[in-house]
Amino acid sequence: MNIINPATEEVIATVQVDSPTTLEEKYRRLLAAQQIWAQLPLGERINTLIRFAALLEAESASLAEILTAETGKPLQQAKNEIKGAISRINWLTANAERYLSDELMQENGTVRECISYEPLGVIGNISAWNYPYLVGVNVFVPALIAGNGVLYKPSEYATLTGLEIDRLLKKAGVPDHVFQLAIGDGPVGKMMLDMELAGYFFTGSYHTGKYIYEQVSQKMVPCQLELGGKDPLYIANDISNIKAVAEATADGAFYNNGQSCCSVERIYVHQDIYDEYLDYFVQQVKAWTVGNPLDDDVYFGPLTRKLQINILEAQVNDALAKGAKLLCGGKAIDGKGFYFEPTILVDVTHDMLIMKEESFGPIIGIMSVRSDEEALSLMQDTDYGLTAGIYTDSEARAVSLLKKIDAGSAYWNCCDRVSAAVPWSGRKHSGIGSTLSHQGLRAFTKPKAWHLVGSK
């Protein structure tokens, strides 16, 4: 399988994909190694992942260059991703003992009732390309801490990063066969669905997640799906600094080229401030540079996947045909690389694809609304339920509206944000299950109830 640099379209590496035979051999080794790994003290496993975080930090410069080369992510954003992954590992390792140790729930005379948290076994992690470090550590770090073995399939668009993750985990002290890579594209992922894994953890599109869920449902094992979003944002009419909010929300829509499940994908602005907000928003987007992702001043690199250009062009053409107005962008950029112009559409409606279907690119639709009630109705008009955000100077106003929105994360005066301390979860077509927080640590365990009667 060839690894393509999306900025140059050059082949930068060729890797050997797994066959059914090699994948089965890796699975057998995982089964044996996982049982030994699970018997190690929890503290020892935690320390191993602490060493992994230290190695990520020590080698962050070279790791960021590899990430940029295969995904097209601007180099500074690649460095930011690795820094963010380290922060998440630090929280998970600092809190794992608290949430994974045995718990005494009740004691009455000679009767004790306790909970222990046992590993699932060997789990499959089919990961994503847009943030391979961040979405990766959400799964394989707590899985390893909890005592599981991990068959990790990096996206075919982030394979080199997957190889680096594997190398550094082994260097940190994870035994050779406790963490194994499944190398390849879709067919290799399908092979994993036929294996007797103890759980499946997928990050990607709704359609692929739905297929995985259907295929593994009869196994009666955990299946968590971190899927896409059509994340809405409402800008209320009482914000005191319109310029700052416009700049911040432009970043929320266009960071990483909009290739994020929690990127802002549709914006509703109160009519009282619509024109001023829009002027500042457009100014900010036009000020950012498109170019070589290795250059320091570049904000927009190429898209990671060439096929995404077709989706974005279809959304633009559909919107224009139905009456939308293009303020900037709207098409692929000629020349080498999978570049697409940063695109802003106004006079949009919910009859248009741009406001209904996930874009996953540097494109945004902005609507004027007359009231909070109209904004709320439009924000809820979606099959997705990942994040929703509101900018207002009134916390009470924001909370009142956000309580009525069926989304896994609620943002007041922020957007496009994830923290290890709170769960990352989707609703409806955005997925099922949670990573991060104490819930994400325990997601990789089976609770056992202990009824102990007698003297201690």
Side-chain angles (χ1 to χ4, degrees):
M1 182 175 69
N2 290 332
I3 309 299
I4 307 295
N5 183 324
T8 64
E9 301 186 47
E10 297 174 348
V11 176
I12 55 176
T14 301
V15 297
Q16 182 62 50
V17 302
D18 272 299
S19 66
T21 301
T22 60
L23 210 57
E24 183 61 31
E25 178 60 28
K26 289 178 178 179
Y27 175 65
R28 287 198 298 268
R29 292 173 178 172
L30 277 162
L31 284 176
Q34 182 269 327
Q35 296 179 35
I36 299 171
W37 175 248
Q39 292 171 9
L40 294 176
L42 174 59
E44 189 171 332
R45 298 196 300 268
I46 290 171
N47 287 335
T48 302
L49 275 301
I50 290 173
R51 291 193 294 271
F52 172 64
L55 290 169
L56 287 178
E57 185 168 12
E59 300 192 27
S60 60
S62 61
L63 297 174
E65 290 178 358
I66 292 169
L67 181 57
T68 293
E70 66 178 343
T71 68
K73 188 189 301 280
L75 187 59
Q76 185 55 56
Q77 295 182 22
K79 293 176 181 177
N80 292 345
E81 179 181 346
I82 295 168
K83 183 178 179 180
I86 293 167
S87 175
R88 292 188 191 179
I89 297 169
N90 289 344
W91 191 93
L92 291 165
T93 53
N95 288 275
E97 193 150 9
R98 175 183 177 187
Y99 293 115
L100 297 181
S101 296
D102 295 354
E103 292 182 288
L104 174 62
M105 303 304 295
Q106 185 168 266
E107 187 171 14
N108 184 8
T110 61
V111 178
R112 285 173 292 137
E113 296 165 354
C114 308
I115 304 174
S116 64
Y117 295 93
E118 300 177 348
L120 297 173
V122 175
I123 63 109
N125 178 195
I126 302 175
S127 200
W129 51 263
N130 59 327
Y131 285 101
Y133 284 102
L134 288 173
V135 300
V137 302
N138 286 5
V139 175
F140 66 74
V141 167
L144 289 170
I145 290 173
N148 296 281
V150 179
L151 181 60
Y152 178 73
K153 184 195 173 301
S155 166
E156 57 269 33
Y157 300 102
T159 301
L160 302 182
T161 293
L163 290 166
E164 290 301 299
I165 288 170
D166 179 62
R167 177 180 67 83
L168 293 181
L169 283 170
K170 304 297 172 56
K171 189 174 181 180
V174 175
D176 281 346
H177 302 308
V178 169
F179 185 89
Q180 294 276 294
L181 292 185
I183 300 294
D185 52 12
V188 173
K190 288 182 179 179
M191 290 181 210
M192 292 175 63
L193 305 185
D194 294 329
M195 302 172 73
E196 294 302 319
L197 297 170
Y200 290 84
F201 298 81
F202 169 74
T203 303
S205 72
Y206 161 71
H207 294 290
T208 302
K210 181 174 180 288
Y211 173 80
I212 290 172
Y213 193 69
E214 290 169 346
Q215 294 300 304
V216 306
S217 60
Q218 294 185 17
K219 298 179 188 289
M220 300 291 285
V221 297
C223 180
Q224 287 200 181
L225 307 172
E226 181 186 334
L227 308 179
K230 193 64 183 173
D231 306 276
L233 193 66
Y234 172 44
I235 314 299
N237 59 345
D238 65 344
I239 56 172
S240 53
N241 191 335
I242 298 175
K243 182 175 186 290
V245 170
E247 291 173 351
T249 53
D251 186 61
F254 287 102
Y255 190 83
N256 196 38
N257 238 343
Q259 298 172 124
S260 172
C261 52
C262 61
S263 289
V264 176
E265 290 233 348
R266 48 201 173 104
I267 300 177
Y268 308 97
V269 186
H270 197 285
Q271 62 183 7
D272 293 351
I273 60 167
Y274 177 79
D275 290 337
E276 186 176 358
Y277 171 87
L278 191 61
D279 285 344
Y280 285 128
F281 190 97
V282 174
Q283 287 175 30
Q284 179 62 76
V285 174
K286 288 184 174 180
W288 284 322
T289 303
V290 180
N292 185 336
L294 292 173
D295 292 345
D296 289 339
D297 62 340
V298 165
Y299 183 89
F300 293 102
L303 296 168
T304 303
R305 298 172 65 251
K306 185 177 183 179
L307 290 175
Q308 199 66 21
I309 291 175
N310 298 333
I311 294 172
L312 298 178
E313 288 180 335
Q315 290 191 355
V316 171
N317 293 335
D318 171 78
L320 295 178
K322 294 174 180 175
K325 180 181 178 181
L326 189 65
L327 296 187
C328 64
K331 63 183 186 301
I333 298 173
D334 292 336
K336 287 289 186 181
F338 311 146
Y339 288 89
F340 195 89
E341 295 174 338
T343 299
I344 302 171
L345 288 156
V346 294
D347 297 339
V348 291
T349 69
H350 275 224
D351 295 325
M352 302 173 185
L353 297 176
I354 181 67
M355 302 303 281
K356 298 291 285 185
E357 296 186 1
E358 189 174 27
S359 301
F360 225 70
I363 179 172
I364 191 70
I366 304 178
M367 285 184 70
S368 173
V369 295
R370 293 161 294 183
S371 65
D372 290 2
E373 291 72 26
E374 183 182 5
L376 180 63
S377 176
L378 291 166
M379 293 173 82
Q380 294 184 102
D381 182 26
T382 180
D383 291 328
Y384 292 96
L386 191 60
T387 80
I390 294 176
Y391 277 75
T392 167
D393 284 355
S394 168
E395 180 177 357
R397 184 178 183 182
V399 170
S400 175
L401 292 170
L402 288 166
K403 281 183 175 180
K404 300 171 184 175
I405 298 176
D406 192 15
S409 291
Y411 298 137
W412 173 47
N413 289 347
C414 60
C415 56
D416 191 27
R417 188 178 190 277
V418 183
S419 168
V422 290
W424 185 244
S425 59
R427 301 179 183 181
K428 300 187 286 185
H429 285 189
S430 290
I432 54 175
S434 297
T435 54
L436 301 177
S437 79
H438 68 287
Q439 295 188 31
L441 282 163
R442 288 177 175 170
F444 300 92
T445 67
K446 299 176 288 190
K448 177 173 283 185
W450 292 83
H451 302 258
L452 306 171
V453 179
S455 58
K456 296 181 182 180

